[in-house]
Amino acid sequence: MITFEHVGLRYNIGPEVLTDITFTLEQGAFHFLSGPSGAGKTSLMKLLYLSQLPTRGSVQMFGQDVTIATRAQRMMIRQRIGVVFQEFRLLPHLSAFDNVALPLRIMGRKPHDIKNACREILEWVGLADHMHARPEILSGGQQQRVAIARAVIGKPRLLLADEPTGSLDDATGYRIMSLFEQLNRMGTTIVIATHNQQMMDHFNHPRLMLDKGNLAVQPPTPKAALKAAH
Amino acid sequence: MATKKPADLALEKDDVGTKFVTLVVIMMTALATLAMGGALVVHSLRASWVGEVSGHMTIEIPVTAADGTVRETESLGIIAEQMRDALSKDIDIDSVRLMSRSDVEKLVQPWLGDVAGTADLPLPALIAVRLKHPNDAQAIGEIAQTVKRVDPVATSETHQAWLADLKRFSLVLLMAALLMAAATIACSILSVTGAVKARLAAHHADIDLLHVMGATDNYIGGQFVRLVVKNVGRAALIGTVAGMIALKTGGLVAGELQAAMLPAFRWDFTALLWFAVCPALVTGLSLLAARFTVLRTLAVMP
Ligand SMILES: Nc1ncnc2c1ncn2[C@@H]1O[C@H](COP(=O)(O)OP(=O)(O)OP(=O)(O)O)[C@@H](O)[C@H]1O
Ligand SMILES: [Mg+2]
């Protein structure tokens, strides 16, 4: 479903942040993306949600080469992707409800459907009582949950989450991870960037390890080894 | 519950830009409306005068004869009667009328003040002629010859030159009004473009977010277009109404000053249509300018 071939990325005239990245994500895959700070995780995410185009190499998404796709085609690809940003990026003047409604409004859904879907998802992330609160009066963890709700409400085919549990306590973090697993079981391909070793061990999905702009794919740790470690 | 759908971008928060655009548009449309009002007044003035004078000639038998002697009122009257009889034979003339002394007094009153009672003040004799065919140049030439034959110093006047002047003046005023409207449009386009650019920069992160969510250029452009239509449209309307109120009160003041030469300005449908030209164009073209500016900025995003 997603194929990167010899992809390189540089910002303006800076050095290459990503060099020669090659990997494939199958439909329904679940991957962690890890690596030291500054390794280029967010940059790789930006390539995946088409906020950046590669400076070299080719990126295929949903059967289209994004570098030669038209702007209109890229818009359609973007509408199938949900993103949880590392810094949330909620619109400050909109309520939690309206922030979550945004992707559906962009897709042109009916107001009635939007209302029901938003309520349901906000209840699910435990923010039913904060539906009309603006982000500034929400805690970091609550904002993160709004951001997650916004990313998944459009039932995306690809969900990208950059440190989605960074501001959450363990219990909420695990609950959100279970939501992601649920979405994954329904067919959504998921990539989660995280530093959280425990989380990666617990959910045990294949890992894309980034270091100094290079990518290595690690298969999930065998169950036996995990048990032995515990 | 969630009542009105809020705008995705908090564009309305940029108050300084909005106020500037609003002020510019209000002032400019008000001025354009005044200019348009002036043009319309002169236009209707011309129309009413054209109706009154076309097809008419005025023959003036001056007080001073060719040799410089001042002619008595009585002898002027005799010449005037000869003139009338001579003209009456002309088949191109519909009617000839000697104007009474009181008619003439009325005509000169605005320039000389109240001359009634000064019966010995010499006044020229005037003859009003109505033509069968208003634009028959040959007939007009023949009449002029007849007039010269009866009294060499008498003059005939078709008012055409004067009407042409008036027509030119009314065209100039209309051009000025249209130029004013054009300047208004240019100003509002410039200030709207500036304001939109500033907003695009200020909201770049939010626009990028919508972009990443798959919002089309139309969707994002629409956010700006709605705001521009709302603000510029309202400002243009306020300016136009203010200009029309100024015209109306100006008309009242002129009425009090007894500027009786000005016909009452008619607020008919055509006039309202002319007044609507400027605000409609200002709003429409500002909208296009805003859209164009937004789309050009979005086009460089991946
Ligand atoms: N917009 C940008 N312009 C220029 N350089 C950038 C930009 N964004 C990131 N970089 C650079 O690219 C490199 C990788 O950054 P990136 O944000 O992808 O790292 P990361 O792996 O997400 O780090 P972290 O774990 O701290 O979030 C860094 O050296 C950073 O300085
Ligand atoms: Mg990052």
Coordinates of all heavy atoms in Angstrom, one line a residue, chain A residues 11-12 17 35-44 46 52 86 162-163 195 210, ligand 1:
Chain A
Y11 N 15.7 19.8 4.0 CA 14.9 21.0 4.2 C 15.7 22.1 3.5 O 16.9 22.4 3.9 CB 14.7 21.3 5.6 CG 13.7 20.3 6.3 CD1 14.2 19.3 7.1 CD2 12.3 20.4 6.1 CE1 13.4 18.4 7.8 CE2 11.5 19.5 6.8 CZ 12.0 18.5 7.6 OH 11.2 17.7 8.2
N12 N 15.2 22.7 2.5 CA 15.8 23.8 1.8 C 17.2 23.4 1.4 O 17.4 22.4 0.7 CB 15.9 25.1 2.6 CG 14.4 25.5 3.0 OD1 13.6 25.5 2.2 ND2 14.2 25.9 4.3
V17 N 18.2 15.1 5.8 CA 17.7 14.6 7.1 C 17.4 13.1 7.0 O 17.6 12.4 7.9 CB 16.5 15.4 7.5 CG1 15.8 14.8 8.7 CG2 16.8 16.9 7.7
G35 N 13.7 5.7 17.2 CA 15.0 6.2 17.0 C 15.3 7.4 17.9 O 14.3 8.0 18.4
P36 N 16.5 7.8 18.0 CA 16.9 8.9 18.9 C 16.3 10.2 18.4 O 15.9 10.3 17.3 CB 18.4 8.9 18.8 CG 18.8 8.1 17.6 CD 17.7 7.1 17.4
S37 N 16.2 11.1 19.4 CA 15.6 12.4 19.0 C 16.5 13.1 17.9 O 17.7 13.0 18.0 CB 15.6 13.3 20.3 OG 15.2 14.6 20.0
G38 N 15.8 13.6 17.0 CA 16.5 14.3 15.9 C 16.9 13.3 14.8 O 17.5 13.7 13.8
A39 N 16.4 12.0 14.9 CA 16.8 11.0 13.9 C 16.0 11.2 12.6 O 16.4 10.7 11.6 CB 16.5 9.6 14.4
G40 N 14.9 11.9 12.7 CA 14.1 12.2 11.5 C 12.7 11.5 11.5 O 12.1 11.3 10.4
K41 N 12.2 11.1 12.7 CA 10.9 10.4 12.8 C 9.8 11.4 12.2 O 9.0 11.0 11.4 CB 10.6 10.0 14.2 CG 11.6 9.0 14.8 CD 11.3 8.6 16.2 CE 11.3 9.7 17.2 NZ 12.7 10.2 17.4
T42 N 9.8 12.6 12.8 CA 8.8 13.5 12.3 C 8.9 13.8 10.8 O 7.9 13.9 10.1 CB 8.8 14.8 13.2 OG1 8.7 14.5 14.5 CG2 7.7 15.8 12.8
S43 N 10.1 13.9 10.4 CA 10.4 14.2 9.0 C 9.8 13.0 8.1 O 9.2 13.3 7.1 CB 11.8 14.3 8.7 OG 12.4 15.4 9.5
L44 N 10.0 11.8 8.5 CA 9.5 10.7 7.8 C 7.9 10.7 7.8 O 7.3 10.4 6.8 CB 10.0 9.4 8.4 CG 9.6 8.1 7.7 CD1 9.9 8.1 6.2 CD2 10.2 6.8 8.3
K46 N 6.2 13.4 8.0 CA 5.8 14.4 7.1 C 5.7 13.9 5.6 O 4.9 14.3 4.8 CB 6.7 15.6 7.2 CG 6.4 16.5 8.4 CD 7.4 17.7 8.4 CE 7.2 18.5 9.6 NZ 8.3 19.5 9.8
Q52 N 5.5 17.1 3.1 CA 6.8 17.3 2.4 C 6.8 16.3 1.3 O 6.2 15.2 1.4 CB 8.0 17.0 3.3 CG 8.2 18.0 4.5 CD 8.8 19.3 4.0 OE1 9.3 19.4 3.0 NE2 8.6 20.3 4.9
Q86 N 2.8 15.5 16.8 CA 3.6 15.5 18.1 C 3.2 16.7 19.0 O 3.1 16.5 20.2 CB 5.1 15.6 17.7 CG 6.0 15.4 18.9 CD 7.5 15.2 18.5 OE1 7.8 15.4 17.4 NE2 8.3 14.7 19.4
D162 N 2.4 10.7 16.0 CA 3.8 11.1 16.4 C 3.8 11.3 17.9 O 3.2 12.2 18.4 CB 4.2 12.4 15.7 CG 5.7 12.6 15.6 OD1 6.4 11.9 16.3 OD2 6.1 13.5 14.8
E163 N 4.4 10.3 18.6 CA 4.4 10.3 20.1 C 3.0 10.5 20.6 O 2.7 11.5 21.4 CB 5.3 11.5 20.6 CG 6.7 11.3 20.3 CD 7.4 10.2 21.1 OE1 6.8 9.7 22.0 OE2 8.6 10.0 20.8
H195 N 9.2 6.9 21.6 CA 10.5 6.5 22.2 C 10.2 5.5 23.3 O 11.1 5.0 23.9 CB 11.0 7.8 23.0 CG 11.5 8.8 22.2 ND1 12.6 8.7 21.4 CD2 11.0 10.1 22.0 CE1 12.8 9.9 20.8 NE2 11.9 10.7 21.1
L210 N 15.0 4.4 13.0 CA 15.7 5.4 12.3 C 16.9 5.8 13.0 O 16.9 6.0 14.3 CB 14.8 6.7 12.2 CG 14.0 6.9 10.9 CD1 13.2 8.2 11.0 CD2 15.0 6.9 9.7
Ligands
LIG1 N1 11.2 22.4 9.0 C1 12.5 22.1 9.2 N2 13.5 22.8 8.6 C2 14.8 22.5 8.7 N3 15.2 21.4 9.4 C3 14.3 20.7 10.0 C4 12.9 20.9 9.9 N4 12.3 20.0 10.6 C5 13.2 19.2 11.1 N5 14.4 19.6 10.8 C6 15.7 18.9 11.1 O1 15.6 17.5 10.7 C7 16.2 16.7 11.6 C8 15.2 15.6 12.1 O2 14.1 16.2 12.7 P1 12.8 15.5 13.2 O3 11.9 16.4 13.8 O4 12.4 14.7 12.0 O5 13.4 14.5 14.3 P2 12.6 13.5 15.3 O6 13.2 12.2 15.0 O7 11.1 13.7 15.1 O8 13.0 14.1 16.7 P3 12.2 14.0 18.1 O9 12.3 12.6 18.6 O10 12.9 15.0 18.9 O11 10.8 14.4 17.8 C9 16.6 17.5 12.8 O12 18.0 17.7 12.7 C10 15.9 18.9 12.6 O13 16.7 19.9 13.0

